[in-house]
Amino acid sequence: MIGSLTAMVCLATAVPVLASQSVLHAVSSPGLDLAEAWSDREGWASTRPAVLRGVDGAGTPAAEVRARWNESAVFFEFLCRDVSVVSPGQQDGLDHFKLGDVVEIFLGRRGDPSYIEVHSTPAGRKTVYAFRDYREPTAPRAGCEVRAGQVEDGWRAVLVIPWRALGSQPDEGSWEFLAGRYDYDAPGGRAVLSSFPAQTGKPDFHKRGRFAKLLLLP
């Protein structure tokens, strides 16, 4: 399988992606919903991934993200190599990134200062944040879903963000995003950060100038 965690070892050591090349192609998937997105491993395997990388090129456990979309929602799949899965949070809505392993998507329409942030833990707990501008919180709309679980050599998550949660439609402008990961070795430890696009200097996943383009393929 293209998305296997074993193959990710090679991807994690590839040449870093330049800013001008920071694009993720989202494959058109009519009728896709969370249940099918979770079970359709073959469909994800045929979708080109982006590789998450450590801050300033630091070595990190391998992780990659893929995207699909339809008229209802945009879907992201993460595959994460992880020898120590840490997921202590027992309910949705917590600041799980302070507690244990998390993957996250930041997504907004290019030129619009508002954006959404969706987190998934390995246990399938979710937290949704929304912002009217850079780090200015607002109430998130309902509808985002996640599913996650452990797989060989790590864990996998699927995040679903309905267009209505963004107050928009897919053809209303172009889209930009950032995929991030917090990886812990133990509860209470220090997280190792990785992302696509990669961060340089002081990491800040909220800076829109660091987002990549999400290209919705027809």
Side-chain angles (χ1 to χ4, degrees):
M1 173 181 170
I2 294 174
S4 69
L5 294 176
T6 301
M8 289 161 57
V9 175
C10 295
L11 290 171
T13 58
V15 176
V17 175
L18 300 175
S20 61
Q21 298 174 328
S22 294
V23 177
L24 181 65
H25 292 168
V27 175
S28 178
S29 301
L32 192 70
D33 59 17
L34 177 59
E36 184 180 355
W38 179 252
S39 62
D40 185 21
R41 300 296 295 273
E42 183 176 350
W44 286 111
S46 63
T47 303
R48 185 176 180 178
V51 178
L52 280 66
R53 304 187 187 280
V55 179
D56 289 329
T60 59
E64 59 189 32
V65 63
R66 292 172 166 83
R68 299 165 74 176
W69 76 282
N70 57 37
E71 292 300 317
S72 297
V74 57
F75 303 76
F76 295 91
E77 183 201 47
F78 286 86
L79 288 171
C80 302
R81 177 179 289 280
D82 200 336
V83 298
S84 178
V85 176
V86 179
S87 188
Q90 297 298 307
Q91 63 190 58
D92 293 343
L94 302 177
D95 287 336
H96 289 285
F97 67 97
K98 298 178 181 179
L99 305 175
D101 298 335
V102 159
V103 291
E104 54 191 28
I105 289 290
F106 295 76
L107 179 64
R109 189 170 62 244
R110 185 162 291 187
D112 183 341
S114 65
Y115 59 101
I116 196 168
E117 176 185 355
V118 183
H119 290 199
S120 174
T121 74
R125 301 299 181 186
K126 73 174 180 183
T127 300
V128 181
Y129 308 90
F131 302 88
R132 60 175 63 90
D133 206 332
Y134 175 74
R135 293 186 179 274
E136 294 184 11
T138 188
R141 297 179 175 90
C144 296
E145 300 179 279
V146 308
R147 185 171 294 182
Q150 294 191 38
V151 295
E152 184 180 1
D153 296 331
W155 60 286
R156 173 178 178 249
V158 172
L159 288 67
V160 183
I161 304 176
W163 299 112
R164 68 176 182 275
L166 294 152
S168 190
Q169 295 297 321
D171 59 353
E172 294 178 350
S174 58
W175 297 91
E176 58 189 14
F177 84 108
L178 183 140
R181 181 187 181 190
Y182 284 69
D183 181 57
Y184 288 79
D185 287 335
R190 183 172 181 174
V192 174
L193 302 183
S194 59
S195 65
F196 176 81
Q199 300 276 299
T200 57
K202 183 179 180 180
D204 187 345
F205 290 173
H206 289 259
K207 283 191 174 180
R208 295 290 291 270
R210 299 185 177 188
F211 283 23
K213 183 176 182 180
L214 181 68
L215 183 60
L216 307 183
L217 297 180

